[in-house]
Amino acid sequence: MIEHSERCGDDGTDEPCPICRGEELDPDFLAMIERAAAQPGKAMSFDEAMEWLDTL
């Protein structure tokens, strides 16, 4: 299992998230991330990106 900053379980469960379980992610979600990455502007730090993802 690939851990990402021990963030699994932040949703109130003790279960690993879909990323850590190695599940295929929703294509619409991936497309949204790709569109956001293609926008010009300031690059986010890892922590900023994780905060942004948590708001989705």
Side-chain angles (χ1 to χ4, degrees):
M1 176 167 66
I2 299 170
E3 298 278 339
H4 49 91
S5 299
E6 301 174 4
R7 295 183 61 84
C8 285
D10 282 356
D11 61 356
T13 69
D14 290 328
E15 299 294 319
C17 71
I19 294 170
C20 289
R21 288 193 302 262
E23 294 178 4
E24 191 169 324
L25 299 176
D26 180 350
D28 292 334
F29 175 73
L30 294 176
M32 180 181 60
I33 299 299
E34 289 173 356
R35 283 191 305 273
Q39 296 297 316
K42 179 183 165 215
M44 287 187 222
S45 70
F46 176 79
D47 291 332
E48 291 170 329
M50 292 306 294
E51 285 182 37
W52 176 73
L53 285 172
D54 286 341
T55 65
L56 301 178

